[in-house]
Amino acid sequence: MAGQANKKADADTSPAGTDITDAVDFEIIELFFFAYRDFTSDPDVILEKRGFGRAHHRVLHFVDREPGMTVADLLDTLRITKQSLARVLKQLIDSGYIHQVAGPEDRRQRKLYTTKEGKTLARALAEPQSRRIAEALAKTGPGARDTIKRFLAGMKTAEEN
Amino acid sequence: MAGQANKKADADTSPAGTDITDAVDFEIIELFFFAYRDFTSDPDVILEKRGFGRAHHRVLHFVDREPGMTVADLLDTLRITKQSLARVLKQLIDSGYIHQVAGPEDRRQRKLYTTKEGKTLARALAEPQSRRIAEALAKTGPGARDTIKRFLAGMKTAEEN
DNA sequence: ACAATATGTCAGCTATGTTGACATATTTTT
DNA sequence: AAAAATATGTCAACATAGCTGACATATTGT
């Protein structure tokens, strides 16, 4: 009884039917909304102290996780525009959390790295989120982590390239 | 190396103490980010046609799901301020997607309901999200839905009242 | 040389969040 | 009945983080 709800198909429009097809999964939709709402609010307290917002968090996070990534990589990951990124990135650089290095092959590129302070902040921001995840997984039961991973990966739009 | 990574373990690095605690679950953090990013982008196309944004979607969704909810209920659910809500709610009312009724017991209240058009739009917006969920669940495997439900519920901050 | 690319920056707009103050109608308390 | 509290609406002003389009600079590729 697991994998059949995605059939939707049936063009019949059953007159007396209105069977499965119509079922919209409001329950998961809402749970997902509340889960993400609270998950993202965890680091807000820390960010506010530094005068940063969630946009800074995302940039710092990905640069920390993928050292040496370029501005173009970041734009692609975050799916925002150059100007939106420029603002927060500049602030992170000016504040000493991220630094740039001209690409060794292509010197037009700016490879991005977190500084020591950047790493510390990135870790501090990830920590409460990680704790929330660990607690939720623990409550869910053994083996949950693998299921969650697969589900979340499946929710992401597949990349073409 | 699949389902045991939630014990954080590794332990090394630490001289004698600080073992478990340090591991931060970057993997789930990122998967959650990408999953939500793409999940919320589904309805954007439909919203744009009507000149609405995600804020309108959230209001419409909850009013549709809980007919008769008051403005105060909505503020509590969305965790935004009265003024933020007022803007989008007014637009939804003016456009004929939501209507208000003075509370029968307490006539200061404005009970909110979706109109026929509102229900239709709410359904149209939920549909692609629901499809995405169904597909992700199907790929995840049988029994996944219950695990996901428990996990997402666990990610939400518990309410005091 | 010329074209393309990676990045930076300027100006201005929009959506959605915020605060604080105040008005109105209604209900509750004194 | 008068006063206080509550639910909602609204005004003004502001902040953050998206967006577009245009253009400048350095560098690389043809």
Side-chain angles (χ1 to χ4, degrees):
Chain A
M1 40 120 284
Q4 81 291 33
N6 60 332
K7 327 203 81 112
K8 308 282 173 188
D10 38 297
D12 42 86
T13 330
S14 22
T18 333
D19 44 5
I20 296 166
T21 334
D22 286 5
V24 167
D25 202 336
F26 289 116
E27 194 177 15
I28 303 282
I29 288 175
E30 286 179 8
L31 284 169
F32 206 36
F33 168 76
F34 290 123
Y36 198 76
R37 181 194 66 181
D38 294 346
F39 169 73
T40 51
S41 77
D42 279 339
D44 285 353
V45 190
I46 303 168
L47 288 163
E48 207 176 6
K49 286 180 202 155
R50 309 280 212 300
F52 290 152
R54 288 177 188 175
H56 300 88
H57 182 188
R58 292 193 284 271
V59 170
L60 185 65
H61 171 88
F62 285 109
V63 171
D64 190 56
R65 279 279 284 169
E66 207 173 310
M69 79 190 302
T70 65
V71 171
D73 293 335
L74 206 38
L75 289 176
D76 191 59
T77 300
L78 300 174
R79 303 265 171 88
I80 59 175
T81 58
K82 195 167 46 156
Q83 184 60 289
S84 291
L85 174 58
R87 259 186 314 235
V88 296
L89 182 55
K90 192 172 191 310
Q91 291 174 299
L92 286 166
I93 291 168
D94 291 349
S95 310
Y97 292 102
I98 287 179
H99 67 107
Q100 297 174 309
V101 178
E105 322 277 278
D106 185 338
R107 282 164 43 216
R108 287 171 304 184
Q109 293 182 337
R110 297 288 175 269
K111 296 194 142 253
L112 305 170
Y113 299 89
T114 41
T115 61
K116 192 171 182 181
E117 293 75 35
K119 286 186 225 301
T120 304
L121 180 53
R123 166 64 59 107
L125 293 169
E127 212 277 330
Q129 296 193 314
S130 188
R131 190 155 5 97
R132 182 183 289 266
I133 290 167
E135 284 164 10
L137 287 175
K139 274 187 281 185
T140 306
R145 192 168 186 282
D146 190 58
T147 301
I148 302 306
K149 265 178 58 179
R150 292 225 305 281
F151 171 71
L152 292 176
M155 287 289 284
K156 181 178 171 181
T157 300
E159 305 173 44
E160 295 105 45
N161 52 337
Chain B
M1 43 129 276
Q4 79 292 44
N6 59 331
K7 354 193 61 121
K8 313 280 178 182
D10 24 82
D12 27 272
T13 17
S14 41
T18 22
D19 42 356
I20 297 169
T21 339
D22 284 5
V24 167
D25 202 337
F26 289 115
E27 195 177 15
I28 303 283
I29 288 174
E30 286 178 9
L31 284 169
F32 206 35
F33 168 76
F34 290 123
Y36 198 75
R37 180 195 66 181
D38 294 346
F39 168 73
T40 51
S41 77
D42 278 339
D44 284 354
V45 190
I46 303 168
L47 288 164
E48 209 175 6
K49 285 181 205 156
R50 311 282 214 295
F52 291 151
R54 288 176 188 177
H56 301 86
H57 182 187
R58 292 193 286 273
V59 170
L60 184 65
H61 171 88
F62 285 109
V63 171
D64 190 55
R65 279 279 284 170
E66 207 172 312
M69 79 190 303
T70 66
V71 170
D73 293 336
L74 206 38
L75 289 175
D76 192 59
T77 300
L78 300 174
R79 302 266 170 89
I80 58 175
T81 57
K82 195 167 45 158
Q83 185 60 286
S84 290
L85 174 58
R87 258 187 314 237
V88 295
L89 182 54
K90 192 171 190 309
Q91 292 174 300
L92 286 166
I93 291 168
D94 292 348
S95 310
Y97 293 102
I98 288 180
H99 67 106
Q100 298 174 308
V101 178
E105 321 277 277
D106 186 339
R107 280 163 46 215
R108 290 170 303 182
Q109 293 181 338
R110 295 289 176 270
K111 296 193 143 255
L112 304 170
Y113 299 89
T114 41
T115 61
K116 191 170 183 181
E117 293 75 34
K119 288 186 222 300
T120 304
L121 179 54
R123 166 63 61 106
L125 293 169
E127 211 277 332
Q129 296 193 314
S130 187
R131 189 157 2 100
R132 182 183 290 266
I133 289 167
E135 283 163 9
L137 287 175
K139 276 187 280 186
T140 305
R145 193 167 184 282
D146 190 60
T147 302
I148 302 305
K149 264 178 58 178
R150 293 224 304 282
F151 171 71
L152 291 176
M155 287 288 284
K156 180 178 171 182
T157 300
E159 303 171 45
E160 295 103 46
N161 48 340

